[in-house]
Amino acid sequence: MNRKPIYVEIDIDTDMDSLWRHTQTPELHEQWDLRFSEISYLPRDDEKDPQYFLYRTRICFGLDITGTGETKANIHSAGGERTSTLTFGSDQQISLIRKGGGYWKYKPKGKGVTFMTQYDYQTRLGIIGRWFDQMLFRPLFGYATAWSFDMLRIWLEKFIPPAVTMQRAVMHYFSVLMLVFLWCYQGIVPKLLFPEAGELALLQALGWFGGREEQLLLLLGVAEISLGLLIFKLHRHRWVYFTQIVLLALLAAAALIGTPEMLAAPFNPLTLSCSMIGFCLLAHWSARDLPQANRCLRKPAYRSKGDERGWHRSMSKR
């Protein structure tokens, strides 16, 4: 199974020293990189020697992946470029990654810096491990790297700490998933599966549709499901939430004008609409400065098949 190394590149509007400090200082590095929960440098006698370190990654259910690594920095004063090479590995059997290596490269670009990485690793569990890595783990690991790089960019360009960015991201995605769930649920359950539970009677009570309430209810169900899926796709566009707020207000008003006695019900259009409007406001606010993996370049322009074969040969010797 031919694996491709993970590559991520991003332009950051910052100076070289700031970027170097935020990526080479363990206390700063572990704040923005989703791949590591803790990084600890081990003592060394000479700064020219490789830097050995311990790392820990929290996964789930109280489990941690621990491992060791070695990094060495090189500064090329002529062009202002810097490079940091890395090898890492874990002896834990629960770690899919057995050992790997790669580099970080820092290249001046205008008033900023192009920050790039390429790395690869060997897996455990034989063909099953390689298949799982190719189908799920490697794409997610690459996505986490790119998302982390953009979170670092936000920290350096807009001075928003990663902890704040993570809180916004959790709030945003939770609000979006709740909106998607509520729109799809309202489209599927009370309109398509069980219209006789009350939605059909509500439309009939309005008396506006001349006996075509069933067809209209079907169209409304399909429209709400489509809207839920559209929100999932366009969740970063803030106009989506203003549109929803207007639509929710109109739907609630129409329902309560036709049957005002519904206000006495424990669950009614007003309470549902207000709750969804609240999620819209949260999702709209938290969409600001949200990291995006697709801001990063995922393939180097200079890569050739020969380069990839050479990379795999070097990794197989580690």
Side-chain angles (χ1 to χ4, degrees), residues 261-305:
E261 62 274 12
M262 290 188 67
L263 281 172
F267 301 102
N268 59 68
L270 181 62
T271 56
L272 176 62
S273 294
C274 287
S275 300
M276 295 180 71
I277 287 172
F279 284 125
C280 286
L281 293 174
L282 285 175
H284 174 269
W285 176 83
S286 56
R288 297 177 301 168
D289 300 316
L290 199 65
Q292 298 184 52
N294 60 12
R295 280 201 181 101
C296 298
L297 183 66
R298 298 301 304 277
K299 293 181 180 180
Y302 54 80
R303 178 182 291 173
S304 66
K305 292 183 178 179

Side-chain angles (χ1 to χ4, degrees), residues 17 127 142 160 289 306:
D17 290 336
I127 191 172
I160 301 175
D289 300 316

